[in-house]
Amino acid sequence: MKVLVVGGGGREHALAWKLAQSPKVQAVYVAPGNGGTALDARLENIAITDVKALREWAITEKIALTVVGPEQPLAAGIVDEFRAHGLRVFGPTQAAAQLESSKAFSKAFMQRHGIPTAEYETFTDAVAAHAYVDEKGAPIVIKADGLAAGKGVVVAMSLHEAHEAIEFMLAPDPSFNPLGVTHNAGGARVVIEEFLQGEEASFIVMCDGKNVAVMATSQDHKRLLDGDQGPNTGGMGAYSPAPVVTPTVHARAMREIILPTIKGMEKDGIPFTGFLYAGLMIALDGKVKTLEFNCRMGDPETQPIMLRLKSDLFEVMMAATSGKLDEVELEWDRRVALGVVMAAHGYPMSPRKGDLISGLPAVSPSAASEDVVVFHAGTASAVVGPKGSVVSSGGRVVCVTALASSVREAQYLAYEAAQSIHFDGAQYRKDIGFRAIDTRSRS
């Protein structure tokens, strides 16, 4: 059967890589893909991004399953478009994707259905937003009500940072938009939340509208610099499993957040299908609150999660798109997977493109059994240079991902491989996984 993966980042490379391992899959297409998917003989890039053109192509090519990776096409209604023409597609509808595309929708939904989250207020007026921040004080969290590729959240540790974030997000001039926020209908809007203390984790499940299959737990590193310093990014690395998600926390997250969300969406007439990602804040006392919802797999969490998944992803997704997730039990490698993101010069505010990348490992047909896999994200095939040359084309360039018996060993393998990859201005954190090591040393 033929499979289409929509997107061109590291998440999509990892999903396509895993889908290609299924004996039932004869071809995996990635639209538009990246420099890494272009080098893999098991994958084929398709230079189509328009939703309707992609739907027509999928019909012509008799695509058996489409998997949508990024949030933008989901928010644009790609699932609705494909389903309307009889195509099997894994992802949420445009209405359901509002859980991610609109922070205001998401917060109101959680409040309505009693799902634990931070106190908040929503603003379209900058003067009122500034006044609210002055009243509440810092630290405080400012969120853009729109898609911003993971950079639309500012955890302001000072009033100056909070006021600056409001100016960025509610700027009357649409050309002044340094965070790259895509505003929703009605214009710029912000959600201002209380600052929550604790440790974050990524809790991701697959949904078929009623049933869920829980993915392996994971934790990413949002800040640019070691020690969780510097600006927020789309994610500088991740590891799986996340020790902070204890069996008690896991049960609590399912009982208080995931299942009420699935039931609440169904009750509201917008059943949720696809990946549901709950960003959790876990307090010292074990209580859990929802930081945010995403309507797709996380990036870079997908890369280590796919490295640990032993089940046939194609079969699981076919079950999910048939409403039969209750018949599926996912199988996981017991080892630890850890991914280190190598980012471009200037990331996250102004990443440079076009730097030649050297030292990338050759793509092997036996990659499914390898313990180190380099998933491409912001890369493209070079126009000039030797055949197979790759250049940077985005902020997060590659994610060097390793599988090993311990966090420390996975760190060693990932960083050893990262040191062999070179491009001008490359930056990456040197401490991915440090929280897992600290947690295990305390236990």
Side-chain angles (χ1 to χ4, degrees), residues 364-383:
S364 167
S366 61
S369 63
E370 293 180 2
D371 292 339
V372 178
V373 180
V374 178
F375 293 112
H376 290 233
T379 68
S381 301
V383 176

Side-chain angles (χ1 to χ4, degrees), residues 104-118:
F105 174 92
S106 178
K107 296 294 285 190
F109 171 85
M110 285 188 272
Q111 186 177 64
R112 188 166 64 251
H113 292 282
I115 296 165
T117 188

Side-chain angles (χ1 to χ4, degrees), residues 153-207:
V153 177
V154 174
V155 181
M157 303 308 292
S158 67
L159 287 176
H160 171 75
E161 285 182 278
H163 289 306
E164 183 180 59
I166 291 168
E167 289 297 324
F168 284 165
M169 296 179 190
L170 292 180
D173 181 358
S175 64
F176 179 70
N177 189 358
L179 297 177
V181 177
T182 302
H183 298 306
N184 291 317
R189 183 163 54 173
V190 295
V191 171
I192 303 181
E193 295 183 354
E194 68 170 318
F195 174 79
L196 297 177
Q197 297 273 14
E199 188 168 348
E200 292 186 40
S202 304
F203 200 95
I204 306 171
V205 300
M206 299 177 72
C207 312

Side-chain angles (χ1 to χ4, degrees), residues 61-266:
E61 291 295 322
K62 296 181 172 58
I63 297 298
L65 171 70
T66 297
V67 180
V68 187
E71 58 272 30
Q72 292 91 347
L74 292 170
I78 187 172
V79 170
D80 308 72
E81 177 71 21
F82 274 50
R83 284 184 182 170
H85 290 82
L87 291 166
R88 184 186 291 259
V89 56
F90 184 74
T93 61
Q94 186 176 37
Q98 288 180 96
L99 276 178
E100 176 172 7
S101 64
S102 173
K103 296 291 190 293
F105 174 92
S106 178
K107 296 294 285 190
F109 171 85
M110 285 188 272
Q111 186 177 64
R112 188 166 64 251
H113 292 282
I115 296 165
T117 188
E119 291 183 2
Y120 77 102
E121 291 289 345
T122 302
F123 299 90
T124 56
D125 178 70
V127 173
H130 287 304
Y132 182 79
V133 164
D134 286 333
E135 176 191 342
K136 294 294 184 180
I140 197 164
V141 181
I142 318 296
K143 295 182 176 181
D145 183 44
L147 299 177
K151 301 191 289 292
V153 177
V154 174
V155 181
M157 303 308 292
S158 67
L159 287 176
H160 171 75
E161 285 182 278
H163 289 306
E164 183 180 59
I166 291 168
E167 289 297 324
F168 284 165
M169 296 179 190
L170 292 180
D173 181 358
S175 64
F176 179 70
N177 189 358
L179 297 177
V181 177
T182 302
H183 298 306
N184 291 317
R189 183 163 54 173
V190 295
V191 171
I192 303 181
E193 295 183 354
E194 68 170 318
F195 174 79
L196 297 177
Q197 297 273 14
E199 188 168 348
E200 292 186 40
S202 304
F203 200 95
I204 306 171
V205 300
M206 299 177 72
C207 312
D208 65 10
K210 289 182 179 291
N211 308 296
V212 300
V214 184
M215 307 298 287
T217 62
S218 59
Q219 189 172 54
D220 77 337
H221 297 255
K222 287 291 186 188
R223 299 282 188 163
L224 180 68
L225 306 174
D226 288 4
D228 290 335
Q229 301 297 307
N232 259 359
T233 72
M236 293 300 294
Y239 55 91
S240 174
V244 70
V245 184
T246 63
T248 300
V249 169
H250 191 285
R252 197 164 199 163
M254 287 296 293
R255 182 177 67 250
E256 299 179 5
I257 297 172
I258 298 298
L259 294 180
T261 298
I262 299 304
K263 291 176 182 175
M265 291 294 280
E266 187 178 17

Side-chain angles (χ1 to χ4, degrees), residues 10 110 149 172 211 269 315 328 331 333 373 379 382 384 398 419 422 425 437:
M110 285 188 272
N211 308 296
E315 288 189 348
V328 169
E331 185 180 358
D333 194 309
V373 180
T379 68
V384 296
V398 295
Q419 288 169 9
H422 303 283
I437 292 172

Side-chain angles (χ1 to χ4, degrees), residues 195-376:
F195 174 79
L196 297 177
Q197 297 273 14
E199 188 168 348
E200 292 186 40
S202 304
F203 200 95
I204 306 171
V205 300
M206 299 177 72
C207 312
D208 65 10
K210 289 182 179 291
N211 308 296
V212 300
V214 184
M215 307 298 287
T217 62
S218 59
Q219 189 172 54
D220 77 337
H221 297 255
K222 287 291 186 188
R223 299 282 188 163
L224 180 68
L225 306 174
D226 288 4
D228 290 335
Q229 301 297 307
N232 259 359
T233 72
M236 293 300 294
Y239 55 91
S240 174
V244 70
V245 184
T246 63
T248 300
V249 169
H250 191 285
R252 197 164 199 163
M254 287 296 293
R255 182 177 67 250
E256 299 179 5
I257 297 172
I258 298 298
L259 294 180
T261 298
I262 299 304
K263 291 176 182 175
M265 291 294 280
E266 187 178 17
K267 183 179 178 181
D268 289 353
I270 39 177
F272 192 93
T273 56
F275 288 115
L276 178 66
Y277 169 130
L280 306 181
M281 180 62 80
I282 304 165
L284 290 175
D285 62 2
K287 291 183 179 178
V288 180
K289 289 189 176 182
T290 315
L291 290 172
E292 64 176 356
F293 283 122
N294 291 330
C295 294
R296 31 77 190 182
M297 282 286 279
D299 187 345
E301 295 97 329
T302 304
Q303 291 89 315
I305 288 175
M306 287 299 107
L307 212 58
R308 290 189 62 215
L309 181 62
K310 297 178 74 173
S311 303
D312 185 319
L313 183 60
F314 174 75
E315 288 189 348
V316 174
M317 287 185 162
M318 291 297 281
T321 50
S322 301
K324 296 180 179 180
L325 269 181
D326 55 331
E327 301 176 8
V328 169
E329 186 171 345
L330 298 177
E331 185 180 358
W332 300 98
D333 194 309
R334 291 183 176 273
R335 290 177 291 173
V336 174
L338 182 146
V340 176
V341 169
M342 301 183 70
H345 173 80
Y347 181 76
M349 297 304 286
S350 53
R352 188 172 68 200
K353 300 179 181 180
D355 289 312
L356 186 66
I357 306 169
S358 63
L360 289 167
V363 178
S364 167
S366 61
S369 63
E370 293 180 2
D371 292 339
V372 178
V373 180
V374 178
F375 293 112
H376 290 233

